[in-house]
């Protein structure tokens, strides 16, 4: 695996299972703070950080008094609306401790198909980079309609990486990367590097997204496919300790799966 020290513009995607307690849906404050600290420090080192975060629905469900994440669309959307402002309050205050400013971008899938909207988003990204502000992205769940829009944030992170011409996409998740079989089996092996996403690779991406998240390994591989086809190197890495991100940028031996961006990828 290469060392990514030279990558400047980096999209980092975090799922609900990194940010919230599975038992309650409440924000895991310790883990979220550790993550913010690492991201703030990476920004201090000169990187442009673009942060794609889920968690609105589960944090909103907990705050809204639901005993578990609801399944019907109006409740999910209400939870997203409650949780998103909670998340942003937390991020804004936490990044502020390190003197970093943040901005919220809630996106829908038409940023791909609608040229005007796409250009608006790209222009916003560019201005935020100029202003040295960390863009924090989630899907705009309140106006999203399932099947037509982002039902999970893995795809969203790949599209964001392509829109802002990122040098690297990093997807954190609850396993260390792609395994050749069910990761809970002791015989399964981590695949360190993937040159091309073949049907065989896709068949390895089995398993579900757990209680909180919406995507499993499959949606992460699909995201890696979108990003690598756009020429963007992609890494899937474990979320247990956010300091793994330092290893990614400082060493060649971080435990993860690296998907090589295609050379003539089209943004
Ligand atoms: N936009 C959803 C949220 O913030 C993402 C759901 C997911 O990827 O788990 O809750």
């Amino acid at each position: 695996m290469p060392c990514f020290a030279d990558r400047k513009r980096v999209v980092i995607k975090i799922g609900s299972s990194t940010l919230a307690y599975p038992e309650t849906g409440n924000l895991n404050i310790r883990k979220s703070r550790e993550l913010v600290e690492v991201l703030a420090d990476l920004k201090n080192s000169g990187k442009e950080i673009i942060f794609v975060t889920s968690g609105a629905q589960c944090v909103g469900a907990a705050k809204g008094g639901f005993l578990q994440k609801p399944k019907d669309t109006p409740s999910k959307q209400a939870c997203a609306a409650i949780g998103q402002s909670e998340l942003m309050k937390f991020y804004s205050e936490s990044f502020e401790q390190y003197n970093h400013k943040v901005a919220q971008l809630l996106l829908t899938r038409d940023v791909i198909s609608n040229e005007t909207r796409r250009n608006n988003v790209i222009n916003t990204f560019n201005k935020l980079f100029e202003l040295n502000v960390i863009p924090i992205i989630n899907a705009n769940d309140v106006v999203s309609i399932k099947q037509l829009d982002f039902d999970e944030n893995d795809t969203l992170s790949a599209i964001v990486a392509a829109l802002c011409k990122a040098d690297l996409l990093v997807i954190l998740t609850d396993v260390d990367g792609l395994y050749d079989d069910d990761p809970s089996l002791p015989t399964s092996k981590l695949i360190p590097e993937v040159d091309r996403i073949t049907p065989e690779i896709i068949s390895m991406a089995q398993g579900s997204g757990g209680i909180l998240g919406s995507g499993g390994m499959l949606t992460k591989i699909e995201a890696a496919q979108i990003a690598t086809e756009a020429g963007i190197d992609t890494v899937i890495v474990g979320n247990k300790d956010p300091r793994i991100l330092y290893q990614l940028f400082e060493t060649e031996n971080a435990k993860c799966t690296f998907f090589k961006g295609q050379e003539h990828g089209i943004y």
Side-chain angles (χ1 to χ4, degrees), residues 1-7 47 168 233 235 248-249 251 258:
M1 192 205 71
C3 169
F4 298 108
D6 61 337
R7 309 306 169 96
K47 299 202 180 297
L168 186 70
D233 286 343
V235 171
L248 269 186
F249 292 109
T251 72
F258 165 55

Side-chain angles (χ1 to χ4, degrees), residues 13-17 53-59 69 76 79-80 84 87 138-141 150-154 156 212-215:
K13 187 263 168 181
I14 308 294
S16 308
S17 59
T53 173
S54 306
Q57 287 178 34
C58 65
V59 168
K69 207 169 148 182
K76 280 166 85 168
C79 289
Q84 184 63 27
L87 278 186
N138 198 352
N140 192 350
D141 290 328
F150 298 116
D151 195 29
E152 39 71 32
N153 278 0
D154 297 319
L156 173 64
L212 296 177
S214 307

